[in-house]
């Protein structure tokens, strides 16, 4: 799991990223990101709507899978970004880890979040 200092949640923080952030899109997810001027480390949020999956267990499983990929990629990412990853496809739940990791890495590189 991603460390607490690298996670953020709450409507105020997410609303700021949604309103002011830039976006990178793929077939299963969108990454919204904005530069954080007050922190020296990046923060991430993974959002899975009830419209995607009704079951909280399944939504949380997707969230944990994406957080794990981010945790492994964190040393290679920029240190001053707030990033929200919005999942809008239920196929992420059954997607093999290797494929999901490649999709997430492609979105992050498309957003130019790598060092």
């Amino acid at each position: 799991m991603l460390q607490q200092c690298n996670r953020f949640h709450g409507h105020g923080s997410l609303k700021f990223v949604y309103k002011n952030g830039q976006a990178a899109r793929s077939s299963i997810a969108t990454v919204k990101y904005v530069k954080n001027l007050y922190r020296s480390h990046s923060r991430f949020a993974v959002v899975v709507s009830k419209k995607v999956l009704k079951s909280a267990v399944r939504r949380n499983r997707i969230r944990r899978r994406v957080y794990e990929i981010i945790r492994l990629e964190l040393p290679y990412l920029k240190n001053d970004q707030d990033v929200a990853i919005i999942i809008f496809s239920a196929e992420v739940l059954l997607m093999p880890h290797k494929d999901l990791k490649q999709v997430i890495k492609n979105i992050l590189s498309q957003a130019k979040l790598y060092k």
Side-chain angles (χ1 to χ4, degrees), residues 41-102:
H41 58 276
S42 290
R43 298 186 305 165
F44 295 87
V46 178
V47 179
V48 184
S49 172
K50 276 189 184 178
K51 289 182 181 179
V52 175
L53 285 167
K54 297 293 184 196
S55 170
V57 173
R58 291 180 179 167
R59 288 195 312 271
N60 289 334
R61 182 170 292 147
I62 290 174
R63 196 172 290 118
R64 285 192 305 267
R65 291 182 74 196
V66 175
Y67 272 135
E68 179 63 18
I69 293 168
I70 293 169
R71 184 184 69 83
L72 296 173
E73 292 296 314
L74 195 59
Y76 311 110
L77 296 172
K78 292 181 181 177
N79 289 331
D80 59 349
Q81 302 288 324
D82 280 349
V83 181
I85 300 174
I86 302 113
I87 305 292
F88 52 81
S89 175
E91 69 185 57
V92 174
L93 184 64
L94 300 175
M95 187 180 283
H97 178 76
K98 185 178 177 182
D99 295 341
L100 179 60
K101 184 174 182 177
Q102 189 61 42

